[in-house]
Structure formats: C-alpha cells, structure tokens
Amino acid sequence: MLTLPTAPDRVRAERPAYRPYRVAVRAVAELSPTFRRVTFTGDELDVFGSACLDQRIKVIFPHEADDAPRGFDHLGVFDPDCIAQGAWYDRWRALPEELRNPFRTYTVRAVRQQQREIDVDFALHGDAGPASRWANRARPGDELVVVGPDDLSAGRLVGIDWRPGGCGELLLVGDETAVPAVCGILESLGDEVRATAFLEVPEPGDVLDVRLAPGHELTWLPRGGRERGAELVEQVRGWVAEHRHIVTPDAAAAVRPGASVALDESDVEAGLVWDAPDGAHDGFYAWIAGETSTVVTLRRHLVREVGVDRSRVAFMGYWRRGRAELS
Ligand SMILES: Cc1cc2nc3c(=O)[nH]c(=O)nc-3n(C[C@H](O)[C@H](O)[C@H](O)COP(=O)(O)OP(=O)(O)OC[C@H]3O[C@@H](n4cnc5c(N)ncnc54)[C@H](O)[C@@H]3O)c2cc1C
C-alpha cells in the first residue's frame, strides 16, 4: 500500500497525471564509477509526485546543435495551457525536427517536496547518447526540463509499474538502469513481504548502500569482463530452481522445460517489450527491467520454462543494445 503525502482536498481530478517542471542542477554526487546522482531544484517541485518506487519521468535535455535555440522556452512547455492540457508531447512533436530537444526516460530516485528537490541517478555509459553525455558534464546551475508526476493530480501514481497487489513473495531483477527503481522499491518494503533482488552492475565499485528491512535480500552482480546479462540470467535461473515451491507452488500447473505453450511473446525486434500486470491476491510476483534482450530471456524462463502465470511477471525493456531510445 502506498502512503500518499498529498492532502486529498488539493487533488484535482482534471489535472493531467504528468507535467513539465523547469529545473536546475543543485548538486552532482559521484555515487560510484557508474552512477552519478543529479539533484535538481525548481520552484514548482513542491508538488512533484512523491510516490517514487519505479515511477518514470522524462528528462528533456538542452539542444546540442550550435544553431538550435538555447533553453526550453521555444518548446512551449511552460505555457499554463500546455500544463493544464497535458499537451507537452504534442507541442514537442509539432515542432520542426531540428528544434525538438532530445528527451529520455529515467526514474525519480527521491523527492523532497519541502526543499523543492528531486534526485535522478544516471548510469553513465560514455558519450554515446544525449542523456549520458549531459550527465557526464552536469554542473550546478545547468537547466533542463523534467516531465514528472503531479501530486495535485488524481493520476499521480501513473507511471508506476511496481504493482505486486497482495503478493508477498517478491523477485526483483535488473541491470544498472534499473538500480534506481529497485533500490526505491526495496526501501519501501516492510517485513510483511519477502523480497529477493538481483542487480547486475558494471563493476564492484558500483555496489551502493541500500536500506533493507529484515527478511529482504539483495545480491549485487558486478559484470566485470563477462557478457552483459550472462551472470544475471544464471543467478536468477539458479534461484528459481531452488525456490520452485515459492515460484510455482502448484507444481502440477507448472510447465516442464521444453513443453510447448502458446504465449504472446513480445517481439524484441519490433515492439515495446513491456507488460506491467496487476499482481495477484497472494503468492509470487516478479519485476524485471533493464536491457531488452536480457529482460526477454528472463521473462521467457519464468513463464515458458517454469510455468509462472504471466499475470505475475512484470517485465520492462528499459533500453536496447545498439539502439537509441526513440523520442
Ligand atoms: C522506465 C525507465 C526508467 C529508466 N530509469 C533509468 C534510470 O533511473 N537511470 C538510468 O541510468 N537509466 C534509466 N533508464 C534507461 C535510459 O532511459 C536509457 O539507458 C537511455 O537509452 C539513455 O539515453 P542516452 O541518451 O544516454 O542513450 P541513447 O541515445 O538512448 O542510446 C545511445 C546508445 O547507447 C546505448 N545505451 C543506452 N543506455 C545504455 C546503458 N545504460 N549502458 C550501455 N549502453 C547504453 C544504446 O543502446 C545506444 O547504442 C530507464 C529507462 C526506462 C524506460
């Protein structure tokens, strides 16, 4: 159950779930060789949705071309009508391509409404994309736009894919891009549920401090020289094999490896690899996010080979190897 800080009388049903916020970098912290935490401040962050967990946001970056407009006013995203109508994306799309600032999807790691601050943890991966390039160089005072949840909206929980329902046996799996989400989720859990998490990160120095309630287990898997996803898949398969009594307690319903089952497999090449079902009343629930092919491999293992009902497996392809995020 989520505890919501907003007084109900402030909530307006008609307000869009998400809105653009004008923000500036307040501080940058090197959490580890891979993770850079950027703390943003902005006048209106006192109403930024504070549920956190794996709630997604869009970060709109400054245009990099020399002849492109500076700042963000040309996007029209601060126009009160645009905010009231939730029209930022239509405004953005209506611009000629050369005027559209790049944006990417991130997780809000922390929200401090009173201080008008939010934290976003960037997993750096060189200068390959606009987001990582920006994060590598971020300095206090840098400005950008964050499109995030509005705590004054009745839809302020939109964009949270962690929906375990009444399930008490929880498995969380991710790579470095899912570290902010998994850490946020783990920190929200009490001892009434039991969570096991596996996080693959580039190197041993990327192991972060996380506050865990008793009964939860988090295993960090530094990749080192191994192929991306290899260790993660191996460890999760091993854990599942040892915990079949939890994962598929009704063994008769479980599917044996190799059995033929008709599934609506997501197409890794074509479509969005994403399904975030509402969890069941009790029992097992898995949440898997990160690089798309690893996510698909793990989801296939759980659903096709082990026989977990697909309504108990949330899986989200956060990014694709060799492909920029489509804006
Ligand atoms: C819901 C959601 C939440 C997310 N939360 C976070 C978060 O909190 N922190 C975070 O760091 N990421 C997060 N991501 C992932 C992030 O959006 C992608 O990594 C994004 O592609 C980064 O944009 P970019 O401009 O740096 O690279 P892009 O321009 O999108 O891609 C350029 C190249 O870099 C590759 N690439 C992209 N990401 C990585 C990576 N992490 N490692 C290695 N190569 C990569 C691409 O395959 C491509 O070849 C999230 C994604 C989603 C969908």
Side-chain angles (χ1 to χ4, degrees), residues 56 104-107 120-123 125 128-133 176-177 180 228 274 317-325:
R56 59 180 173 269
R104 295 288 183 267
T105 311
Y106 280 82
T107 305
V120 180
D121 291 354
F122 290 83
H125 60 100
S132 186
R133 207 158 41 235
E176 58 268 40
T177 63
R228 179 178 282 286
W274 204 282
Y318 270 14
W319 64 283
R320 285 159 195 264
R321 220 162 162 177
R323 237 193 270 178
E325 182 182 330

PDB file of all heavy atoms in Angstrom, residues 56 104-107 120-123 125 128-133 176-177 180 228 274 317-325, ligand 1:
ATOM      1  N   ARG A  56       8.367   6.559 -13.481  1.00  0.00           N
ATOM      2  CA  ARG A  56       9.210   7.065 -14.569  1.00  0.00           C
ATOM      3  C   ARG A  56       8.962   8.547 -14.809  1.00  0.00           C
ATOM      4  O   ARG A  56       7.877   9.067 -14.523  1.00  0.00           O
ATOM      5  CB  ARG A  56       8.994   6.273 -15.853  1.00  0.00           C
ATOM      6  CG  ARG A  56       7.586   6.270 -16.369  1.00  0.00           C
ATOM      7  CD  ARG A  56       7.490   5.455 -17.642  1.00  0.00           C
ATOM      8  NE  ARG A  56       6.113   5.304 -18.055  1.00  0.00           N
ATOM      9  CZ  ARG A  56       5.332   4.300 -17.695  1.00  0.00           C
ATOM     10  NH1 ARG A  56       5.789   3.352 -16.898  1.00  0.00           N
ATOM     11  NH2 ARG A  56       4.091   4.246 -18.118  1.00  0.00           N
ATOM     12  N   ARG A 104      14.795  11.607 -22.746  1.00  0.00           N
ATOM     13  CA  ARG A 104      14.977  10.195 -22.406  1.00  0.00           C
ATOM     14  C   ARG A 104      14.195   9.887 -21.124  1.00  0.00           C
ATOM     15  O   ARG A 104      13.855  10.799 -20.368  1.00  0.00           O
ATOM     16  CB  ARG A 104      16.465   9.878 -22.153  1.00  0.00           C
ATOM     17  CG  ARG A 104      17.365  10.035 -23.379  1.00  0.00           C
ATOM     18  CD  ARG A 104      17.130   8.940 -24.397  1.00  0.00           C
ATOM     19  NE  ARG A 104      18.019   9.019 -25.554  1.00  0.00           N
ATOM     20  CZ  ARG A 104      17.727   9.655 -26.697  1.00  0.00           C
ATOM     21  NH1 ARG A 104      16.583  10.310 -26.839  1.00  0.00           N
ATOM     22  NH2 ARG A 104      18.582   9.640 -27.701  1.00  0.00           N
ATOM     23  N   THR A 105      13.993   8.597 -20.883  1.00  0.00           N
ATOM     24  CA  THR A 105      13.200   8.170 -19.722  1.00  0.00           C
ATOM     25  C   THR A 105      14.117   7.820 -18.542  1.00  0.00           C
ATOM     26  O   THR A 105      15.107   7.097 -18.724  1.00  0.00           O
ATOM     27  CB  THR A 105      12.369   6.919 -20.091  1.00  0.00           C
ATOM     28  OG1 THR A 105      11.700   7.174 -21.322  1.00  0.00           O
ATOM     29  CG2 THR A 105      11.352   6.591 -19.021  1.00  0.00           C
ATOM     30  N   TYR A 106      13.765   8.290 -17.370  1.00  0.00           N
ATOM     31  CA  TYR A 106      14.528   7.982 -16.146  1.00  0.00           C
ATOM     32  C   TYR A 106      13.561   7.665 -15.002  1.00  0.00           C
ATOM     33  O   TYR A 106      12.333   7.673 -15.174  1.00  0.00           O
ATOM     34  CB  TYR A 106      15.491   9.137 -15.801  1.00  0.00           C
ATOM     35  CG  TYR A 106      16.739   9.034 -16.672  1.00  0.00           C
ATOM     36  CD1 TYR A 106      16.745   9.521 -17.971  1.00  0.00           C
ATOM     37  CD2 TYR A 106      17.851   8.353 -16.223  1.00  0.00           C
ATOM     38  CE1 TYR A 106      17.845   9.353 -18.803  1.00  0.00           C
ATOM     39  CE2 TYR A 106      18.958   8.173 -17.035  1.00  0.00           C
ATOM     40  CZ  TYR A 106      18.949   8.676 -18.320  1.00  0.00           C
ATOM     41  OH  TYR A 106      20.034   8.475 -19.141  1.00  0.00           O
ATOM     42  N   THR A 107      14.138   7.346 -13.846  1.00  0.00           N
ATOM     43  CA  THR A 107      13.348   7.030 -12.655  1.00  0.00           C
ATOM     44  C   THR A 107      13.617   8.120 -11.636  1.00  0.00           C
ATOM     45  O   THR A 107      14.769   8.522 -11.474  1.00  0.00           O
ATOM     46  CB  THR A 107      13.828   5.677 -12.065  1.00  0.00           C
ATOM     47  OG1 THR A 107      13.755   4.690 -13.089  1.00  0.00           O
ATOM     48  CG2 THR A 107      12.995   5.264 -10.873  1.00  0.00           C
ATOM     49  N   VAL A 120      17.876  12.251  -9.411  1.00  0.00           N
ATOM     50  CA  VAL A 120      17.847  11.282 -10.513  1.00  0.00           C
ATOM     51  C   VAL A 120      19.233  10.647 -10.580  1.00  0.00           C
ATOM     52  O   VAL A 120      20.239  11.363 -10.595  1.00  0.00           O
ATOM     53  CB  VAL A 120      17.507  11.965 -11.861  1.00  0.00           C
ATOM     54  CG1 VAL A 120      17.474  10.926 -12.982  1.00  0.00           C
ATOM     55  CG2 VAL A 120      16.173  12.712 -11.781  1.00  0.00           C
ATOM     56  N   ASP A 121      19.288   9.309 -10.590  1.00  0.00           N
ATOM     57  CA  ASP A 121      20.580   8.605 -10.658  1.00  0.00           C
ATOM     58  C   ASP A 121      20.824   8.162 -12.093  1.00  0.00           C
ATOM     59  O   ASP A 121      20.103   7.307 -12.625  1.00  0.00           O
ATOM     60  CB  ASP A 121      20.577   7.392  -9.727  1.00  0.00           C
ATOM     61  CG  ASP A 121      20.567   7.808  -8.256  1.00  0.00           C
ATOM     62  OD1 ASP A 121      20.677   9.022  -7.964  1.00  0.00           O
ATOM     63  OD2 ASP A 121      20.442   6.915  -7.399  1.00  0.00           O
ATOM     64  N   PHE A 122      21.849   8.749 -12.705  1.00  0.00           N
ATOM     65  CA  PHE A 122      22.183   8.408 -14.090  1.00  0.00           C
ATOM     66  C   PHE A 122      23.248   7.311 -14.093  1.00  0.00           C
ATOM     67  O   PHE A 122      24.292   7.464 -13.447  1.00  0.00           O
ATOM     68  CB  PHE A 122      22.749   9.628 -14.823  1.00  0.00           C
ATOM     69  CG  PHE A 122      21.730  10.716 -15.091  1.00  0.00           C
ATOM     70  CD1 PHE A 122      21.410  11.661 -14.122  1.00  0.00           C
ATOM     71  CD2 PHE A 122      21.109  10.809 -16.327  1.00  0.00           C
ATOM     72  CE1 PHE A 122      20.485  12.669 -14.368  1.00  0.00           C
ATOM     73  CE2 PHE A 122      20.172  11.808 -16.584  1.00  0.00           C
ATOM     74  CZ  PHE A 122      19.862  12.740 -15.603  1.00  0.00           C
ATOM     75  N   ALA A 123      22.995   6.229 -14.825  1.00  0.00           N
ATOM     76  CA  ALA A 123      24.041   5.223 -15.084  1.00  0.00           C
ATOM     77  C   ALA A 123      24.804   5.719 -16.309  1.00  0.00           C
ATOM     78  O   ALA A 123      24.257   5.757 -17.412  1.00  0.00           O
ATOM     79  CB  ALA A 123      23.408   3.861 -15.347  1.00  0.00           C
ATOM     80  N   HIS A 125      27.213   5.880 -19.426  1.00  0.00           N
ATOM     81  CA  HIS A 125      27.734   4.909 -20.404  1.00  0.00           C
ATOM     82  C   HIS A 125      28.442   5.676 -21.520  1.00  0.00           C
ATOM     83  O   HIS A 125      28.135   5.528 -22.697  1.00  0.00           O
ATOM     84  CB  HIS A 125      26.618   3.988 -20.931  1.00  0.00           C
ATOM     85  CG  HIS A 125      25.498   4.706 -21.617  1.00  0.00           C
ATOM     86  ND1 HIS A 125      25.401   4.796 -22.987  1.00  0.00           N
ATOM     87  CD2 HIS A 125      24.449   5.389 -21.132  1.00  0.00           C
ATOM     88  CE1 HIS A 125      24.322   5.499 -23.305  1.00  0.00           C
ATOM     89  NE2 HIS A 125      23.726   5.873 -22.201  1.00  0.00           N
ATOM     90  N   ALA A 128      27.739   8.168 -25.639  1.00  0.00           N
ATOM     91  CA  ALA A 128      27.007   7.603 -26.783  1.00  0.00           C
ATOM     92  C   ALA A 128      25.651   8.260 -27.017  1.00  0.00           C
ATOM     93  O   ALA A 128      25.177   8.312 -28.150  1.00  0.00           O
ATOM     94  CB  ALA A 128      26.826   6.105 -26.584  1.00  0.00           C
ATOM     95  N   GLY A 129      24.998   8.737 -25.971  1.00  0.00           N
ATOM     96  CA  GLY A 129      23.659   9.298 -26.149  1.00  0.00           C
ATOM     97  C   GLY A 129      23.559  10.645 -25.456  1.00  0.00           C
ATOM     98  O   GLY A 129      24.380  10.967 -24.590  1.00  0.00           O
ATOM     99  N   PRO A 130      22.542  11.433 -25.801  1.00  0.00           N
ATOM    100  CA  PRO A 130      22.429  12.775 -25.212  1.00  0.00           C
ATOM    101  C   PRO A 130      22.278  12.781 -23.696  1.00  0.00           C
ATOM    102  O   PRO A 130      22.777  13.683 -23.027  1.00  0.00           O
ATOM    103  CB  PRO A 130      21.188  13.361 -25.896  1.00  0.00           C
ATOM    104  CG  PRO A 130      20.488  12.233 -26.558  1.00  0.00           C
ATOM    105  CD  PRO A 130      21.498  11.151 -26.783  1.00  0.00           C
ATOM    106  N   ALA A 131      21.612  11.755 -23.153  1.00  0.00           N
ATOM    107  CA  ALA A 131      21.391  11.746 -21.704  1.00  0.00           C
ATOM    108  C   ALA A 131      22.705  11.496 -20.965  1.00  0.00           C
ATOM    109  O   ALA A 131      23.079  12.250 -20.055  1.00  0.00           O
ATOM    110  CB  ALA A 131      20.366  10.676 -21.340  1.00  0.00           C
ATOM    111  N   SER A 132      23.402  10.457 -21.353  1.00  0.00           N
ATOM    112  CA  SER A 132      24.658  10.130 -20.672  1.00  0.00           C
ATOM    113  C   SER A 132      25.686  11.244 -20.915  1.00  0.00           C
ATOM    114  O   SER A 132      26.434  11.609 -19.997  1.00  0.00           O
ATOM    115  CB  SER A 132      25.171   8.786 -21.177  1.00  0.00           C
ATOM    116  OG  SER A 132      26.290   8.389 -20.455  1.00  0.00           O
ATOM    117  N   ARG A 133      25.672  11.797 -22.123  1.00  0.00           N
ATOM    118  CA  ARG A 133      26.604  12.891 -22.445  1.00  0.00           C
ATOM    119  C   ARG A 133      26.342  14.087 -21.524  1.00  0.00           C
ATOM    120  O   ARG A 133      27.247  14.692 -20.971  1.00  0.00           O
ATOM    121  CB  ARG A 133      26.379  13.281 -23.918  1.00  0.00           C
ATOM    122  CG  ARG A 133      27.561  13.856 -24.586  1.00  0.00           C
ATOM    123  CD  ARG A 133      27.530  13.746 -26.103  1.00  0.00           C
ATOM    124  NE  ARG A 133      26.260  14.002 -26.764  1.00  0.00           N
ATOM    125  CZ  ARG A 133      25.682  13.141 -27.589  1.00  0.00           C
ATOM    126  NH1 ARG A 133      26.233  11.974 -27.843  1.00  0.00           N
ATOM    127  NH2 ARG A 133      24.535  13.443 -28.180  1.00  0.00           N
ATOM    128  N   GLU A 176      22.001  -1.998 -14.430  1.00  0.00           N
ATOM    129  CA  GLU A 176      22.291  -0.702 -13.801  1.00  0.00           C
ATOM    130  C   GLU A 176      21.207   0.350 -14.062  1.00  0.00           C
ATOM    131  O   GLU A 176      21.007   1.238 -13.240  1.00  0.00           O
ATOM    132  CB  GLU A 176      23.665  -0.173 -14.240  1.00  0.00           C
ATOM    133  CG  GLU A 176      23.871   0.029 -15.733  1.00  0.00           C
ATOM    134  CD  GLU A 176      24.478  -1.203 -16.406  1.00  0.00           C
ATOM    135  OE1 GLU A 176      24.082  -2.339 -16.054  1.00  0.00           O
ATOM    136  OE2 GLU A 176      25.329  -1.024 -17.300  1.00  0.00           O
ATOM    137  N   THR A 177      20.492   0.239 -15.173  1.00  0.00           N
ATOM    138  CA  THR A 177      19.456   1.252 -15.438  1.00  0.00           C
ATOM    139  C   THR A 177      18.248   1.059 -14.514  1.00  0.00           C
ATOM    140  O   THR A 177      17.459   1.973 -14.332  1.00  0.00           O
ATOM    141  CB  THR A 177      18.990   1.210 -16.907  1.00  0.00           C
ATOM    142  OG1 THR A 177      18.391  -0.057 -17.182  1.00  0.00           O
ATOM    143  CG2 THR A 177      20.143   1.464 -17.861  1.00  0.00           C
ATOM    144  N   PRO A 180      18.107   2.424  -9.760  1.00  0.00           N
ATOM    145  CA  PRO A 180      17.325   3.415  -9.001  1.00  0.00           C
ATOM    146  C   PRO A 180      15.926   2.896  -8.656  1.00  0.00           C
ATOM    147  O   PRO A 180      15.447   3.091  -7.526  1.00  0.00           O
ATOM    148  CB  PRO A 180      17.246   4.613  -9.957  1.00  0.00           C
ATOM    149  CG  PRO A 180      18.441   4.453 -10.859  1.00  0.00           C
ATOM    150  CD  PRO A 180      18.609   2.980 -11.045  1.00  0.00           C
ATOM    151  N   ARG A 228      27.241  -8.949 -20.999  1.00  0.00           N
ATOM    152  CA  ARG A 228      26.098  -8.310 -20.352  1.00  0.00           C
ATOM    153  C   ARG A 228      24.941  -9.298 -20.171  1.00  0.00           C
ATOM    154  O   ARG A 228      24.568  -9.988 -21.108  1.00  0.00           O
ATOM    155  CB  ARG A 228      25.638  -7.142 -21.236  1.00  0.00           C
ATOM    156  CG  ARG A 228      24.454  -6.395 -20.716  1.00  0.00           C
ATOM    157  CD  ARG A 228      24.128  -5.257 -21.617  1.00  0.00           C
ATOM    158  NE  ARG A 228      25.017  -4.121 -21.424  1.00  0.00           N
ATOM    159  CZ  ARG A 228      24.963  -3.295 -20.383  1.00  0.00           C
ATOM    160  NH1 ARG A 228      24.078  -3.493 -19.430  1.00  0.00           N
ATOM    161  NH2 ARG A 228      25.789  -2.280 -20.301  1.00  0.00           N
ATOM    162  N   TRP A 274       7.178  -4.714 -22.866  1.00  0.00           N
ATOM    163  CA  TRP A 274       6.652  -4.079 -21.662  1.00  0.00           C
ATOM    164  C   TRP A 274       5.337  -4.720 -21.270  1.00  0.00           C
ATOM    165  O   TRP A 274       4.414  -4.796 -22.068  1.00  0.00           O
ATOM    166  CB  TRP A 274       6.390  -2.596 -21.969  1.00  0.00           C
ATOM    167  CG  TRP A 274       6.391  -1.721 -20.755  1.00  0.00           C
ATOM    168  CD1 TRP A 274       5.399  -1.575 -19.841  1.00  0.00           C
ATOM    169  CD2 TRP A 274       7.462  -0.863 -20.351  1.00  0.00           C
ATOM    170  NE1 TRP A 274       5.789  -0.670 -18.886  1.00  0.00           N
ATOM    171  CE2 TRP A 274       7.041  -0.223 -19.172  1.00  0.00           C
ATOM    172  CE3 TRP A 274       8.727  -0.594 -20.868  1.00  0.00           C
ATOM    173  CZ2 TRP A 274       7.849   0.685 -18.510  1.00  0.00           C
ATOM    174  CZ3 TRP A 274       9.516   0.311 -20.215  1.00  0.00           C
ATOM    175  CH2 TRP A 274       9.085   0.943 -19.043  1.00  0.00           C
ATOM    176  N   GLY A 317      11.459  -3.543 -20.863  1.00  0.00           N
ATOM    177  CA  GLY A 317      12.703  -3.301 -21.594  1.00  0.00           C
ATOM    178  C   GLY A 317      13.051  -1.822 -21.468  1.00  0.00           C
ATOM    179  O   GLY A 317      12.422  -0.977 -22.094  1.00  0.00           O
ATOM    180  N   TYR A 318      14.017  -1.508 -20.613  1.00  0.00           N
ATOM    181  CA  TYR A 318      14.355  -0.102 -20.358  1.00  0.00           C
ATOM    182  C   TYR A 318      15.201   0.503 -21.483  1.00  0.00           C
ATOM    183  O   TYR A 318      15.212   1.702 -21.677  1.00  0.00           O
ATOM    184  CB  TYR A 318      15.124   0.017 -19.033  1.00  0.00           C
ATOM    185  CG  TYR A 318      14.248   0.224 -17.806  1.00  0.00           C
ATOM    186  CD1 TYR A 318      12.874   0.012 -17.827  1.00  0.00           C
ATOM    187  CD2 TYR A 318      14.815   0.654 -16.609  1.00  0.00           C
ATOM    188  CE1 TYR A 318      12.102   0.208 -16.692  1.00  0.00           C
ATOM    189  CE2 TYR A 318      14.043   0.864 -15.466  1.00  0.00           C
ATOM    190  CZ  TYR A 318      12.685   0.631 -15.516  1.00  0.00           C
ATOM    191  OH  TYR A 318      11.932   0.844 -14.386  1.00  0.00           O
ATOM    192  N   TRP A 319      15.983  -0.338 -22.168  1.00  0.00           N
ATOM    193  CA  TRP A 319      16.806   0.169 -23.266  1.00  0.00           C
ATOM    194  C   TRP A 319      17.225  -1.014 -24.128  1.00  0.00           C
ATOM    195  O   TRP A 319      17.076  -2.174 -23.718  1.00  0.00           O
ATOM    196  CB  TRP A 319      18.029   0.933 -22.730  1.00  0.00           C
ATOM    197  CG  TRP A 319      19.013   0.121 -21.952  1.00  0.00           C
ATOM    198  CD1 TRP A 319      18.876  -0.309 -20.661  1.00  0.00           C
ATOM    199  CD2 TRP A 319      20.270  -0.388 -22.411  1.00  0.00           C
ATOM    200  NE1 TRP A 319      19.965  -1.039 -20.283  1.00  0.00           N
ATOM    201  CE2 TRP A 319      20.858  -1.104 -21.339  1.00  0.00           C
ATOM    202  CE3 TRP A 319      20.978  -0.286 -23.612  1.00  0.00           C
ATOM    203  CZ2 TRP A 319      22.089  -1.732 -21.433  1.00  0.00           C
ATOM    204  CZ3 TRP A 319      22.222  -0.898 -23.714  1.00  0.00           C
ATOM    205  CH2 TRP A 319      22.754  -1.616 -22.635  1.00  0.00           C
ATOM    206  N   ARG A 320      17.705  -0.700 -25.341  1.00  0.00           N
ATOM    207  CA  ARG A 320      18.123  -1.749 -26.269  1.00  0.00           C
ATOM    208  C   ARG A 320      19.560  -1.554 -26.678  1.00  0.00           C
ATOM    209  O   ARG A 320      19.945  -0.448 -27.073  1.00  0.00           O
ATOM    210  CB  ARG A 320      17.288  -1.683 -27.556  1.00  0.00           C
ATOM    211  CG  ARG A 320      15.914  -2.196 -27.404  1.00  0.00           C
ATOM    212  CD  ARG A 320      15.048  -1.633 -28.515  1.00  0.00           C
ATOM    213  NE  ARG A 320      13.667  -1.818 -28.197  1.00  0.00           N
ATOM    214  CZ  ARG A 320      12.935  -2.833 -28.628  1.00  0.00           C
ATOM    215  NH1 ARG A 320      13.441  -3.702 -29.450  1.00  0.00           N
ATOM    216  NH2 ARG A 320      11.680  -2.951 -28.256  1.00  0.00           N
ATOM    217  N   ARG A 321      20.285  -2.613 -26.621  1.00  0.00           N
ATOM    218  CA  ARG A 321      21.688  -2.567 -27.038  1.00  0.00           C
ATOM    219  C   ARG A 321      21.771  -2.110 -28.486  1.00  0.00           C
ATOM    220  O   ARG A 321      21.053  -2.632 -29.340  1.00  0.00           O
ATOM    221  CB  ARG A 321      22.245  -3.975 -26.949  1.00  0.00           C
ATOM    222  CG  ARG A 321      23.612  -4.050 -26.429  1.00  0.00           C
ATOM    223  CD  ARG A 321      23.799  -5.464 -25.995  1.00  0.00           C
ATOM    224  NE  ARG A 321      25.200  -5.767 -25.861  1.00  0.00           N
ATOM    225  CZ  ARG A 321      25.645  -6.921 -25.443  1.00  0.00           C
ATOM    226  NH1 ARG A 321      24.808  -7.879 -25.143  1.00  0.00           N
ATOM    227  NH2 ARG A 321      26.928  -7.127 -25.331  1.00  0.00           N
ATOM    228  N   GLY A 322      22.637  -1.124 -28.738  1.00  0.00           N
ATOM    229  CA  GLY A 322      22.872  -0.690 -30.115  1.00  0.00           C
ATOM    230  C   GLY A 322      21.801   0.219 -30.667  1.00  0.00           C
ATOM    231  O   GLY A 322      21.835   0.586 -31.832  1.00  0.00           O
ATOM    232  N   ARG A 323      20.824   0.592 -29.837  1.00  0.00           N
ATOM    233  CA  ARG A 323      19.752   1.443 -30.342  1.00  0.00           C
ATOM    234  C   ARG A 323      19.436   2.574 -29.369  1.00  0.00           C
ATOM    235  O   ARG A 323      19.258   2.325 -28.175  1.00  0.00           O
ATOM    236  CB  ARG A 323      18.497   0.609 -30.527  1.00  0.00           C
ATOM    237  CG  ARG A 323      18.019   0.702 -31.981  1.00  0.00           C
ATOM    238  CD  ARG A 323      16.663   0.173 -32.103  1.00  0.00           C
ATOM    239  NE  ARG A 323      16.687  -1.251 -32.402  1.00  0.00           N
ATOM    240  CZ  ARG A 323      15.589  -1.972 -32.516  1.00  0.00           C
ATOM    241  NH1 ARG A 323      14.411  -1.416 -32.314  1.00  0.00           N
ATOM    242  NH2 ARG A 323      15.657  -3.243 -32.807  1.00  0.00           N
ATOM    243  N   ALA A 324      19.354   3.783 -29.892  1.00  0.00           N
ATOM    244  CA  ALA A 324      18.997   4.924 -29.036  1.00  0.00           C
ATOM    245  C   ALA A 324      17.524   4.823 -28.674  1.00  0.00           C
ATOM    246  O   ALA A 324      16.731   4.254 -29.428  1.00  0.00           O
ATOM    247  CB  ALA A 324      19.265   6.232 -29.768  1.00  0.00           C
ATOM    248  N   GLU A 325      17.167   5.388 -27.515  1.00  0.00           N
ATOM    249  CA  GLU A 325      15.754   5.431 -27.143  1.00  0.00           C
ATOM    250  C   GLU A 325      15.020   6.317 -28.135  1.00  0.00           C
ATOM    251  O   GLU A 325      15.500   7.392 -28.496  1.00  0.00           O
ATOM    252  CB  GLU A 325      15.593   5.991 -25.718  1.00  0.00           C
ATOM    253  CG  GLU A 325      14.144   6.017 -25.273  1.00  0.00           C
ATOM    254  CD  GLU A 325      13.931   6.617 -23.878  1.00  0.00           C
ATOM    255  OE1 GLU A 325      14.829   6.498 -23.030  1.00  0.00           O
ATOM    256  OE2 GLU A 325      12.860   7.195 -23.669  1.00  0.00           O
TER     257      GLU A 325
HETATM  258  C1  LIG B   1      11.008   3.459 -17.313  1.00  0.00           C
HETATM  259  C2  LIG B   1      12.514   3.659 -17.489  1.00  0.00           C
HETATM  260  C3  LIG B   1      13.264   4.073 -16.411  1.00  0.00           C
HETATM  261  C4  LIG B   1      14.651   4.247 -16.547  1.00  0.00           C
HETATM  262  N1  LIG B   1      15.370   4.689 -15.470  1.00  0.00           N
HETATM  263  C5  LIG B   1      16.695   4.916 -15.597  1.00  0.00           C
HETATM  264  C6  LIG B   1      17.455   5.451 -14.504  1.00  0.00           C
HETATM  265  O1  LIG B   1      16.913   5.806 -13.449  1.00  0.00           O
HETATM  266  N2  LIG B   1      18.797   5.599 -14.669  1.00  0.00           N
HETATM  267  C7  LIG B   1      19.419   5.270 -15.864  1.00  0.00           C
HETATM  268  O2  LIG B   1      20.648   5.444 -15.976  1.00  0.00           O
HETATM  269  N3  LIG B   1      18.710   4.786 -16.912  1.00  0.00           N
HETATM  270  C8  LIG B   1      17.383   4.627 -16.816  1.00  0.00           C
HETATM  271  N4  LIG B   1      16.667   4.162 -17.885  1.00  0.00           N
HETATM  272  C9  LIG B   1      17.397   3.810 -19.120  1.00  0.00           C
HETATM  273  C10 LIG B   1      17.689   5.023 -20.004  1.00  0.00           C
HETATM  274  O3  LIG B   1      16.480   5.624 -20.421  1.00  0.00           O
HETATM  275  C11 LIG B   1      18.454   4.526 -21.251  1.00  0.00           C
HETATM  276  O4  LIG B   1      19.686   3.983 -20.851  1.00  0.00           O
HETATM  277  C12 LIG B   1      18.639   5.614 -22.288  1.00  0.00           C
HETATM  278  O5  LIG B   1      18.825   4.983 -23.535  1.00  0.00           O
HETATM  279  C13 LIG B   1      19.817   6.537 -22.017  1.00  0.00           C
HETATM  280  O6  LIG B   1      19.816   7.545 -23.014  1.00  0.00           O
HETATM  281  P1  LIG B   1      21.139   8.055 -23.721  1.00  0.00           P
HETATM  282  O7  LIG B   1      20.764   9.344 -24.386  1.00  0.00           O
HETATM  283  O8  LIG B   1      22.272   8.061 -22.753  1.00  0.00           O
HETATM  284  O9  LIG B   1      21.453   6.951 -24.812  1.00  0.00           O
HETATM  285  P2  LIG B   1      20.649   6.685 -26.177  1.00  0.00           P
HETATM  286  O10 LIG B   1      20.788   7.841 -27.112  1.00  0.00           O
HETATM  287  O11 LIG B   1      19.264   6.249 -25.878  1.00  0.00           O
HETATM  288  O12 LIG B   1      21.457   5.447 -26.763  1.00  0.00           O
HETATM  289  C14 LIG B   1      22.752   5.622 -27.376  1.00  0.00           C
HETATM  290  C15 LIG B   1      23.480   4.276 -27.364  1.00  0.00           C
HETATM  291  O13 LIG B   1      23.778   3.929 -26.017  1.00  0.00           O
HETATM  292  C16 LIG B   1      23.278   2.634 -25.714  1.00  0.00           C
HETATM  293  N5  LIG B   1      22.841   2.663 -24.302  1.00  0.00           N
HETATM  294  C17 LIG B   1      21.749   3.251 -23.763  1.00  0.00           C
HETATM  295  N6  LIG B   1      21.738   3.089 -22.441  1.00  0.00           N
HETATM  296  C18 LIG B   1      22.843   2.380 -22.124  1.00  0.00           C
HETATM  297  C19 LIG B   1      23.383   1.896 -20.906  1.00  0.00           C
HETATM  298  N7  LIG B   1      22.814   2.141 -19.712  1.00  0.00           N
HETATM  299  N8  LIG B   1      24.551   1.209 -20.956  1.00  0.00           N
HETATM  300  C20 LIG B   1      25.178   0.973 -22.128  1.00  0.00           C
HETATM  301  N9  LIG B   1      24.711   1.413 -23.318  1.00  0.00           N
HETATM  302  C21 LIG B   1      23.553   2.098 -23.311  1.00  0.00           C
HETATM  303  C22 LIG B   1      22.147   2.405 -26.700  1.00  0.00           C
HETATM  304  O14 LIG B   1      21.970   1.021 -26.938  1.00  0.00           O
HETATM  305  C23 LIG B   1      22.641   3.120 -27.930  1.00  0.00           C
HETATM  306  O15 LIG B   1      23.512   2.305 -28.672  1.00  0.00           O
HETATM  307  C24 LIG B   1      15.283   3.994 -17.787  1.00  0.00           C
HETATM  308  C25 LIG B   1      14.504   3.605 -18.887  1.00  0.00           C
HETATM  309  C26 LIG B   1      13.137   3.433 -18.741  1.00  0.00           C
HETATM  310  C27 LIG B   1      12.320   3.031 -19.946  1.00  0.00           C
END
